[in-house]
Amino acid sequence: MSGKEIPKDYDFKNEKKWEKKWEDEDIYKFIGDGTRPRYIIDTPPPYPTGSIHLGHVLNWVYIDMNARYRRMKGNDVLFTQGWDCHGLPTEVKVEETHGIKKNDVSRAKFREFCVELTTENIAKMKDQMQALGFSQDWSREFITMTPEYMFKTQYSFLKMYDEGLIYQGIHPVNWCPRCETAIAFAEVEYSDNQTNLNYVNFPPATEDSYDDIASSKESGKVADPSDEGVLIATTRPELMSACVAVVVHPDDERYSSLIGKYVEVPLSCQKVKIIPDEEVDPEYGTGAVMVCTFGDKTDVAWVNKHNLEIIDAIDETGHLTDAAGRYAGMDLQTCKQQTIDDLKDEGYLLKQEVVDQNVGQCWRCKTPIEILVKKQWFVAVRELIDKTKEAAEEMNWVPEHMKSRMINWADSMEWDWCISRQRIFATPIPVWYCKDCGKVMLPDVDQLPIDPTVDKPKRACECGCTEFIGEEDVLDTWMDSSISPLSIAGWPNEGYMDNFPANIRPQGHDIIRTWAFYTTLRCLALEGEKPFDDIVINGMVFGEDGYKMSKSRGNVIAPDDVIAEYGADPLRTWAANSVPGSDVAFDWKDIKHGFKFLRKFWNAFRFISMQIFDGEIVEPTLYEPIDLWILSKLNMLNENVDEAYATYNFADTISSIEKFIWHDFCDEYIEAVKYRLYGDDVSDESRNAAKYTLKKVVEDSLKFLAPIVPFFAEEVYQYFSDDSIHKTSWPEVGIIDLEAVENGDRAIELIDEVRRFKSTSKIPLNAPLAEVNIFTDDLGDVFEEFAETIRGTLKIESLAIKSGKPEVHEKIVEITPDMAKIGPKFKGDAGKIVGYLNSTPIEELESALVENGEIAVGDLVVEEDMLNIKKDIVGASGKKVDILQAEDLGIILEVIR
């Protein structure tokens, strides 16, 4: 015995014990000394919200299974954990928690609030991660709000600035009025809704030309609203004051005579020119479009293409500026409704119709975005697009089709990446401006990290000025996380190339256009190399109602709730039983199935433990055929699971392991060797072979399962060794005898046939059978080979393998009167017939029926259909037999109970 008492039931509450053992023994530490092949995982750093959701679980189970598997395969695995602290999510939460806006307190105080919240949330999420059995090397944890990480982000800024890949410019940018900051296109989400398409008459202007928009406004309202001009269909009437042109298709005959002429914009009264552009869709609306600065990115393209003026009608908070005239100070929604009312009252609005609309919104606060012209910092994305696409082609994408998302996004990039944000809690942009000449001043590398609102340059400006204005804008949070593979490798310190590029990037498909794209672009810009070799994509998690999990739908399941009821491992089996790239539905029945499987394995282990821990077991020199069958299947499973882990086919790993353990091992092999464990007429050699095989199958299966269910595997393995199973190596592939597998499958099928017969016949499975004859013309040698296993498993006293078919016939064993027929016909003589049938030997009655088809009782004649006749099938020996036909095997079984 192992010396430890094995509890009756598996207790998942022990997970905390193993969690502590792993932490105390520091078994997941990355060594990095080159004595083993390195395997580097570029782990996704989440926003520290304080709570892990099932999407996190799915993502990190993928990562953790891979990490654990690679360690068992002999790799020195770097699996670190990062926290992407900066940006809007944390600031928005701080504002909600403290009931403030970012400018209500000092920058230092607001940042203090953010750091405090983030620190608390990281601690909570770290506890949850450890409870789920994730095997990070926490000694290499990185947190983007720390000085160490901000140094790397600011250094990357300086390096790209020096190479001309970061610049400052005045350009239209996506702007969130709620967060009061610029955001990148990749941070814009789109939602569908309905709005009104407003048909507005732009009457003809009275003059043929105007110097500019401003001077045209000075003349005030000149045109008559009733004069037929150009009918414009718009969903953004609130931007009338920012209209700078009307565009029509050059081939649209409705407007060909108007090209080059002017119309007056209703309400705001500026006069704008009608210009041709082939990008106009003549079929949409009226075919005439007002160009506003800016309603959408198409407006930006037209403004740049035709060198149009820009009117800043919206401010940073989403309110109208003085340029909007009578609407100045209004928020956009109020302005929109008031504009529509005024257009109606003054006769410009001819009709409205409801249309579907796809609205861009801030991906964090869901506020509709606007396009404002701002002085911002940009990464010159378009200079790196081709290299980024080439790098994407060089990567191994799992699944392959996800690559197209990155390629298509790269091809769609029309604007450079705006990386400056008008927030506080983020990595500061390391820039000062000379107070006299405005020149950009950069810090030396040894000054980093800096806060330019607090720190000062080391030297004076070239103009001699020693006073500077610190940049108050901060960097987009993706500027932090997009250098994650470089950071975890130790960049920019010497030796980082030993750990770069990473072997793998695991991430969700929702951030391919952000994290995957930006990381690839930045690593190419900084070091000229792709960031990782493999990129494995996980899907999203859907609730039991079939919709993506969300608090608003009320279909969210907290991982903590699952762990409290079933432990972490069944949740991990749920995650493992999915396909990379595909969305996954959560279902409690999957959790229950995983829990049931672990209990099945536990019960089997406990049952055989008294055998495998009872005395010395040595490797056999000779196995029974059934041992070779299960060992061959075990080693075939080894090959299959090894390949599945290596290629991230995790669903195949758990499903094939479950099938083997549940069916081949528990249901078949254990049942087939019980007689060898407990029988008196079994040789020591055979008993030892059975024990060795049982032990081998359990140990190897635990190692196959260890990456998926680390707690359960550790719990069972501790009865074999005090060392952690997670420090062991992947099992070597042993014997694979394909003939033994094929023949063993046939023997098992025969055994199952007889066991089904016992079950349907209400015969206890452990009850003996007197005799079984196997009739086969082709498989005699197979069943002779497995005869001892068949006999012992089924408790057969006499087993014979024969050719041909059994000689059987029917024999009447009982004849009773059918009183429903005899009573009415014979009435008072019925008793005479009953007495005769009961007193006459069955053989005599059978003879009369065979010869005459009836039985004579004196002068009374009883026909066969008036009798209840029971027959047995009798074999050549004259004994009653049951005949079973195993059609798949092509055999007949004759069973004598």
Side-chain angles (χ1 to χ4, degrees):
M1 196 69 179
S2 69
K4 304 173 185 176
E5 183 179 352
I6 302 176
K8 181 179 179 181
D9 294 317
Y10 170 61
D11 185 3
F12 66 82
K13 296 292 196 309
N14 285 336
E15 288 177 350
K16 283 294 179 186
K17 177 172 70 174
W18 306 127
E19 182 185 318
K20 186 175 187 307
K21 174 184 174 69
W22 301 334
E23 184 177 1
D24 290 345
E25 295 182 5
D26 210 12
I27 65 175
Y28 304 129
K29 187 174 181 61
F30 175 69
I31 306 303
D33 60 1
T35 56
R36 288 180 292 158
R38 294 179 176 89
Y39 188 85
I40 314 300
I41 301 174
D42 181 20
T43 319
Y47 284 108
T49 60
S51 179
I52 287 177
H53 54 68
L54 285 180
H56 289 134
V57 173
L58 182 66
N59 189 198
W60 275 303
V61 167
Y62 277 17
I63 302 170
D64 191 59
M65 288 188 296
N66 187 41
R68 291 179 179 278
Y69 164 73
R70 302 291 173 176
R71 291 190 194 100
M72 295 179 79
K73 293 295 288 185
N75 290 284
D76 186 11
V77 175
L78 175 56
F79 175 18
T80 186
Q81 184 58 54
W83 304 97
D84 194 7
C85 310
H86 291 142
L88 298 180
T90 303
E91 292 201 16
V92 169
K93 188 65 178 178
V94 164
E95 289 175 335
E96 291 175 357
T97 301
H98 294 276
I100 59 173
K101 296 296 288 290
K102 62 175 182 177
N103 296 323
D104 292 345
V105 294
S106 68
R107 292 174 68 90
K109 188 64 178 177
F110 189 79
R111 181 175 176 84
E112 180 184 323
F113 286 151
C114 291
V115 171
E116 181 182 273
L117 173 65
T118 302
T119 302
E120 292 173 0
N121 286 347
I122 287 175
K124 293 175 184 176
M125 293 177 73
K126 182 175 178 180
D127 285 345
Q128 288 179 298
M129 287 183 174
Q130 291 175 323
L132 281 156
F134 301 146
S135 59
Q136 294 97 328
D137 177 357
W138 289 101
S139 69
R140 289 176 171 262
E141 181 181 19
F142 65 90
I143 302 173
T144 59
M145 67 181 181
T146 61
E148 294 79 11
Y149 200 95
M150 285 197 285
F151 166 86
K152 297 178 181 184
T153 302
Q154 290 187 338
Y155 176 72
S156 72
F157 177 95
L158 297 182
K159 198 167 188 290
M160 291 179 67
Y161 181 86
D162 287 343
E163 294 176 6
L165 294 174
I166 287 180
Y167 66 92
Q168 190 179 42
I170 300 175
H171 299 290
V173 294
N174 294 309
W175 187 272
C176 174
R178 159 63 182 81
C179 301
E180 296 183 33
T181 184
I183 62 175
F185 258 118
E187 296 171 308
V188 178
E189 288 184 348
Y190 291 88
S191 65
D192 296 327
N193 72 335
Q194 289 187 325
T195 190
N196 285 325
L197 186 62
N198 303 278
Y199 288 80
V200 181
N201 181 43
F202 280 46
T206 57
E207 302 291 336
D208 292 332
S209 65
Y210 297 86
D211 294 333
D212 53 36
I213 295 287
S215 62
S216 76
K217 271 189 175 185
E218 292 175 2
S219 61
K221 181 177 177 181
V222 177
D224 187 334
S226 63
D227 289 345
E228 183 178 353
V230 175
L231 191 62
I232 301 292
T234 178
T235 60
R236 306 273 328 249
E238 69 274 19
L239 293 181
M240 291 281 186
S241 58
C243 179
V244 293
V246 169
V247 292
V248 298
H249 195 281
D251 299 330
D252 193 334
E253 295 180 357
R254 295 172 293 178
Y255 305 112
S256 57
S257 63
L258 299 177
I259 292 174
K261 295 185 177 180
Y262 287 78
V263 290
E264 184 176 289
V265 180
L267 308 180
S268 53
C269 303
Q270 72 265 34
K271 285 67 177 176
V272 297
K273 193 174 185 179
I274 302 170
I275 57 179
D277 195 291
E278 293 182 350
E279 295 300 316
V280 175
D281 180 4
E283 302 300 320
Y284 182 77
T286 63
V289 184
M290 70 170 184
V291 180
C292 300
T293 55
F294 292 94
D296 56 29
K297 65 179 183 179
T298 307
D299 286 336
V300 176
W302 278 328
V303 167
N304 290 335
K305 182 177 180 180
H306 299 289
N307 196 28
L308 302 175
E309 295 180 54
I310 294 176
I311 300 174
D312 293 323
I314 304 173
D315 69 13
E316 291 89 344
T317 66
H319 290 77
L320 278 296
T321 66
D322 290 342
R326 66 174 101 170
Y327 306 105
M330 290 185 183
D331 64 75
L332 287 162
Q333 283 302 112
T334 302
C335 177
K336 184 171 192 171
Q337 188 55 54
Q338 188 60 56
T339 301
I340 291 173
D341 291 344
D342 291 346
L343 288 171
K344 288 179 181 177
D345 292 343
E346 297 186 27
Y348 292 103
L349 184 63
L350 302 188
K351 67 174 182 175
Q352 292 178 304
E353 61 184 35
V354 176
V355 293
D356 293 327
Q357 188 179 38
N358 197 231
V359 178
Q361 58 188 22
C362 173
W363 76 325
R364 287 301 173 187
C365 69
K366 311 307 178 186
T367 301
I369 59 113
E370 299 296 336
I371 298 178
L372 305 184
V373 177
K374 289 290 187 181
K375 188 176 186 179
Q376 301 288 333
W377 288 91
F378 298 87
V379 168
V381 168
R382 288 170 291 181
E383 293 186 25
L384 298 164
I385 287 294
D386 289 342
K387 289 182 179 179
T388 301
K389 288 163 61 178
E390 289 172 9
E393 293 287 357
E394 293 173 7
M395 298 170 193
N396 173 39
W397 289 75
V398 182
E400 173 70 19
H401 70 265
M402 286 292 174
K403 176 172 63 179
S404 63
R405 296 197 182 189
M406 177 125 145
I407 300 296
N408 292 341
W409 176 251
D411 284 335
S412 72
M413 294 296 293
E414 298 175 357
W415 295 3
D416 283 336
W417 173 17
C418 177
I419 58 171
S420 47
R421 298 290 182 268
Q422 291 64 52
R423 302 298 300 184
I424 294 172
F425 184 53
T427 300
I429 296 176
V431 164
W432 297 278
Y433 305 97
C434 174
K435 191 171 184 179
D436 284 353
C437 70
K439 177 181 172 60
V440 169
M441 294 289 291
L442 301 176
D444 294 339
V445 172
D446 61 8
Q447 283 184 270
L448 302 179
I450 65 157
D451 179 350
T453 65
V454 176
D455 302 316
K456 300 298 178 185
K458 283 185 174 181
R459 60 187 67 83
C461 177
E462 290 178 357
C463 71
C465 179
T466 58
E467 292 188 61
F468 301 91
I469 301 170
E471 173 64 85
E472 292 189 356
D473 285 358
V474 293
L475 288 170
D476 176 6
T477 186
W478 294 110
M479 283 288 284
D480 291 329
S481 60
S482 61
I483 59 169
S484 60
L486 286 167
S487 175
I488 65 175
W491 181 88
N493 298 329
E494 186 177 350
Y496 80 91
M497 288 300 292
D498 290 339
N499 303 323
F500 180 83
N503 295 84
I504 185 172
R505 153 67 67 83
Q507 67 165 73
H509 63 61
D510 57 324
I511 51 173
I512 289 176
R513 69 180 192 176
T514 47
W515 196 37
F517 176 78
Y518 290 148
T519 302
T520 305
L521 181 143
R522 292 256 281 147
C523 288
L524 288 169
L526 292 166
E527 297 300 331
E529 193 166 353
K530 66 181 181 183
F532 31 77
D533 298 324
D534 293 357
I535 178 166
V536 179
I537 306 298
N538 65 275
M540 301 292 104
V541 177
F542 284 69
E544 292 181 289
D545 58 0
Y547 292 92
K548 184 178 177 182
M549 281 194 176
S550 68
K551 291 181 180 179
S552 61
R553 294 199 66 87
N555 64 350
V556 173
I557 301 293
D560 290 353
D561 293 341
V562 181
I563 293 173
E565 190 165 354
Y566 293 101
D569 283 339
L571 182 57
R572 291 175 63 107
T573 63
W574 161 79
N577 199 17
S578 61
V579 178
S582 298
D583 293 333
V584 184
F586 177 84
D587 196 322
W588 279 104
K589 71 179 183 183
D590 296 328
I591 304 298
K592 294 173 184 176
H593 173 82
F595 185 68
K596 185 178 178 181
F597 165 66
L598 296 181
R599 290 189 66 184
K600 175 81 171 180
F601 196 171
W602 177 267
N603 292 337
F605 161 69
R606 184 172 181 271
F607 173 76
I608 65 175
S609 62
M610 63 186 70
Q611 295 292 331
I612 62 176
F613 297 129
D614 182 19
E616 183 181 3
I617 301 175
V618 297
E619 185 171 358
T621 56
L622 185 65
Y623 290 99
E624 296 287 347
I626 196 68
D627 301 333
L628 292 176
W629 171 77
I630 194 67
L631 289 173
S632 295
K633 287 211 161 193
L634 176 74
N635 288 305
M636 290 167 66
L637 176 68
N638 188 336
E639 290 186 331
N640 178 61
V641 172
D642 194 5
E643 173 68 15
Y645 274 127
T647 55
Y648 318 110
N649 187 3
F650 302 122
D652 191 39
T653 65
I654 184 61
S655 61
S656 57
I657 295 170
E658 276 192 16
K659 181 180 178 183
F660 171 80
I661 292 173
W662 204 308
H663 177 66
D664 294 331
F665 185 55
C666 294
D667 292 347
E668 304 297 354
Y669 182 75
I670 292 178
E671 293 299 320
V673 299
K674 281 181 180 178
Y675 80 96
R676 291 164 61 192
L677 300 175
Y678 301 105
D680 295 330
D681 58 345
V682 177
S683 68
D684 290 342
E685 186 178 36
S686 177
R687 200 185 312 276
N688 175 77
K691 290 182 177 183
Y692 180 88
T693 303
L694 287 167
K695 185 172 182 289
K696 173 68 173 173
V697 171
V698 170
E699 284 192 281
D700 282 11
S701 297
L702 285 173
K703 291 178 182 179
F704 301 157
L705 277 171
I708 302 174
V709 289
F711 293 111
F712 177 85
E714 190 73 280
E715 177 90 8
V716 178
Y717 191 75
Q718 288 299 301
Y719 292 97
F720 293 89
S721 171
D722 291 333
D723 288 336
S724 171
I725 192 172
H726 303 297
K727 294 172 72 174
T728 63
S729 298
W730 188 262
E732 294 291 332
V733 176
I735 185 170
I736 296 178
D737 187 331
L738 296 179
E739 184 178 356
V741 171
E742 184 177 3
N743 292 343
D745 285 343
R746 290 165 173 165
I748 289 296
E749 192 172 344
L750 185 151
I751 291 170
D752 287 345
E753 187 73 35
V754 177
R755 292 173 71 188
R756 283 191 292 271
F757 159 73
K758 280 187 169 184
S759 179
T760 57
S761 301
K762 303 295 190 291
I763 301 172
L765 292 179
N766 62 351
L769 296 173
E771 185 178 340
V772 173
N773 297 310
I774 304 170
F775 288 86
T776 176
D777 293 328
D778 302 317
L779 302 177
D781 290 343
V782 172
F783 298 131
E784 286 287 359
E785 182 184 11
F786 284 86
E788 191 60 29
T789 295
I790 296 169
R791 186 195 65 76
T793 304
L794 297 171
K795 292 182 167 49
I796 300 170
E797 294 175 4
S798 175
L799 176 69
I801 293 103
K802 302 179 178 182
S803 60
K805 296 181 179 179
E807 298 178 12
V808 295
H809 64 276
E810 289 185 327
K811 180 181 179 180
I812 296 176
V813 295
E814 184 179 73
I815 298 176
T816 57
D818 185 347
M819 297 307 295
K821 295 179 179 178
I822 288 177
K825 181 173 181 179
F826 295 103
K827 298 183 175 60
D829 291 328
K832 186 176 179 180
I833 293 171
V834 173
Y836 179 80
L837 293 176
N838 289 337
S839 61
T840 304
I842 193 69
E843 293 81 7
E844 187 177 328
L845 296 175
E846 181 179 18
S847 178
L849 286 173
V850 171
E851 290 180 11
N852 305 315
E854 60 187 22
I855 295 174
V857 182
D859 58 353
L860 303 174
V861 177
V862 182
E863 296 175 356
E864 187 172 348
D865 65 356
M866 304 178 80
L867 301 169
N868 296 317
I869 301 172
K870 183 180 178 182
K871 299 177 181 180
D872 279 346
I873 298 175
V874 177
S877 64
K879 298 176 183 178
K880 175 186 173 182
V881 300
D882 292 285
I883 299 298
L884 314 178
Q885 286 192 312
E887 295 181 0
D888 290 344
L889 291 172
I891 65 173
I892 299 174
L893 298 171
E894 184 182 63
V895 179
I896 301 174
R897 305 188 191 191

mmCIF file of all heavy atoms in Angstrom, residues 206 210 214-222 264 269 271:
data_model
loop_
_atom_site.group_PDB
_atom_site.id
_atom_site.type_symbol
_atom_site.label_atom_id
_atom_site.label_comp_id
_atom_site.label_asym_id
_atom_site.label_seq_id
_atom_site.Cartn_x
_atom_site.Cartn_y
_atom_site.Cartn_z
ATOM 1 N N THR A 206 -27.420 83.279 -54.206
ATOM 2 C CA THR A 206 -27.666 84.388 -55.126
ATOM 3 C C THR A 206 -26.439 84.802 -55.910
ATOM 4 O O THR A 206 -26.541 85.482 -56.923
ATOM 5 C CB THR A 206 -28.210 85.588 -54.350
ATOM 6 O OG1 THR A 206 -27.281 85.930 -53.319
ATOM 7 C CG2 THR A 206 -29.556 85.256 -53.714
ATOM 8 N N TYR A 210 -17.847 82.773 -53.981
ATOM 9 C CA TYR A 210 -17.592 83.370 -52.663
ATOM 10 C C TYR A 210 -16.135 83.153 -52.312
ATOM 11 O O TYR A 210 -15.524 82.158 -52.691
ATOM 12 C CB TYR A 210 -18.504 82.736 -51.607
ATOM 13 C CG TYR A 210 -19.976 82.987 -51.883
ATOM 14 C CD1 TYR A 210 -20.682 82.131 -52.729
ATOM 15 C CD2 TYR A 210 -20.622 84.087 -51.333
ATOM 16 C CE1 TYR A 210 -22.025 82.366 -52.992
ATOM 17 C CE2 TYR A 210 -21.967 84.329 -51.599
ATOM 18 C CZ TYR A 210 -22.662 83.468 -52.438
ATOM 19 O OH TYR A 210 -23.980 83.699 -52.701
ATOM 20 N N ALA A 214 -16.427 81.761 -44.323
ATOM 21 C CA ALA A 214 -16.707 82.816 -43.335
ATOM 22 C C ALA A 214 -17.373 84.020 -43.981
ATOM 23 O O ALA A 214 -18.376 84.555 -43.477
ATOM 24 C CB ALA A 214 -15.421 83.221 -42.629
ATOM 25 N N SER A 215 -16.844 84.488 -45.124
ATOM 26 C CA SER A 215 -17.411 85.674 -45.764
ATOM 27 C C SER A 215 -18.794 85.387 -46.339
ATOM 28 O O SER A 215 -19.650 86.272 -46.381
ATOM 29 C CB SER A 215 -16.472 86.174 -46.875
ATOM 30 O OG SER A 215 -16.326 85.182 -47.883
ATOM 31 N N SER A 216 -19.008 84.126 -46.752
ATOM 32 C CA SER A 216 -20.324 83.797 -47.308
ATOM 33 C C SER A 216 -21.395 83.824 -46.224
ATOM 34 O O SER A 216 -22.570 84.055 -46.510
ATOM 35 C CB SER A 216 -20.299 82.431 -47.991
ATOM 36 O OG SER A 216 -20.314 81.372 -47.044
ATOM 37 N N LYS A 217 -20.976 83.563 -44.978
ATOM 38 C CA LYS A 217 -21.935 83.583 -43.866
ATOM 39 C C LYS A 217 -22.363 85.010 -43.525
ATOM 40 O O LYS A 217 -23.469 85.247 -43.041
ATOM 41 C CB LYS A 217 -21.313 82.938 -42.625
ATOM 42 C CG LYS A 217 -21.521 81.443 -42.505
ATOM 43 C CD LYS A 217 -21.059 80.971 -41.132
ATOM 44 C CE LYS A 217 -21.387 79.501 -40.960
ATOM 45 N NZ LYS A 217 -21.070 79.032 -39.591
ATOM 46 N N GLU A 218 -21.436 85.960 -43.748
ATOM 47 C CA GLU A 218 -21.685 87.337 -43.327
ATOM 48 C C GLU A 218 -22.896 87.940 -44.025
ATOM 49 O O GLU A 218 -23.574 88.812 -43.485
ATOM 50 C CB GLU A 218 -20.445 88.192 -43.586
ATOM 51 C CG GLU A 218 -19.270 87.820 -42.682
ATOM 52 C CD GLU A 218 -18.017 88.603 -43.037
ATOM 53 O OE1 GLU A 218 -18.089 89.446 -43.960
ATOM 54 O OE2 GLU A 218 -16.979 88.370 -42.404
ATOM 55 N N SER A 219 -23.174 87.473 -45.238
ATOM 56 C CA SER A 219 -24.311 88.026 -45.971
ATOM 57 C C SER A 219 -25.637 87.583 -45.375
ATOM 58 O O SER A 219 -26.691 88.117 -45.711
ATOM 59 C CB SER A 219 -24.240 87.610 -47.440
ATOM 60 O OG SER A 219 -24.289 86.192 -47.540
ATOM 61 N N GLY A 220 -25.573 86.570 -44.484
ATOM 62 C CA GLY A 220 -26.788 86.111 -43.815
ATOM 63 C C GLY A 220 -27.697 85.356 -44.758
ATOM 64 O O GLY A 220 -27.313 84.920 -45.844
ATOM 65 N N LYS A 221 -28.952 85.204 -44.330
ATOM 66 C CA LYS A 221 -29.929 84.445 -45.107
ATOM 67 C C LYS A 221 -30.365 85.268 -46.312
ATOM 68 O O LYS A 221 -30.946 86.345 -46.184
ATOM 69 C CB LYS A 221 -31.124 84.092 -44.224
ATOM 70 C CG LYS A 221 -32.199 83.284 -44.924
ATOM 71 C CD LYS A 221 -33.309 82.938 -43.931
ATOM 72 C CE LYS A 221 -34.425 82.186 -44.624
ATOM 73 N NZ LYS A 221 -35.528 81.859 -43.693
ATOM 74 N N VAL A 222 -30.068 84.742 -47.488
ATOM 75 C CA VAL A 222 -30.398 85.449 -48.725
ATOM 76 C C VAL A 222 -31.396 84.649 -49.550
ATOM 77 O O VAL A 222 -32.358 85.174 -50.087
ATOM 78 C CB VAL A 222 -29.125 85.709 -49.560
ATOM 79 C CG1 VAL A 222 -29.484 86.373 -50.872
ATOM 80 C CG2 VAL A 222 -28.134 86.554 -48.779
ATOM 81 N N GLU A 264 -27.137 77.543 -50.639
ATOM 82 C CA GLU A 264 -27.063 78.108 -49.297
ATOM 83 C C GLU A 264 -27.481 77.039 -48.288
ATOM 84 O O GLU A 264 -28.511 76.382 -48.442
ATOM 85 C CB GLU A 264 -27.981 79.316 -49.183
ATOM 86 C CG GLU A 264 -27.889 80.017 -47.820
ATOM 87 C CD GLU A 264 -28.741 81.281 -47.778
ATOM 88 O OE1 GLU A 264 -28.351 82.260 -48.445
ATOM 89 O OE2 GLU A 264 -29.779 81.272 -47.098
ATOM 90 N N CYS A 269 -26.617 79.401 -43.077
ATOM 91 C CA CYS A 269 -26.540 80.406 -44.146
ATOM 92 C C CYS A 269 -25.220 80.493 -44.902
ATOM 93 O O CYS A 269 -25.064 81.380 -45.750
ATOM 94 C CB CYS A 269 -26.899 81.801 -43.626
ATOM 95 S SG CYS A 269 -28.540 81.855 -42.870
ATOM 96 N N LYS A 271 -22.554 79.666 -47.845
ATOM 97 C CA LYS A 271 -22.765 79.261 -49.233
ATOM 98 C C LYS A 271 -21.676 78.269 -49.618
ATOM 99 O O LYS A 271 -20.484 78.566 -49.457
ATOM 100 C CB LYS A 271 -22.727 80.477 -50.176
ATOM 101 C CG LYS A 271 -23.980 81.347 -50.121
ATOM 102 C CD LYS A 271 -24.158 82.050 -48.803
ATOM 103 C CE LYS A 271 -25.382 82.981 -48.774
ATOM 104 N NZ LYS A 271 -25.582 83.577 -47.446
#
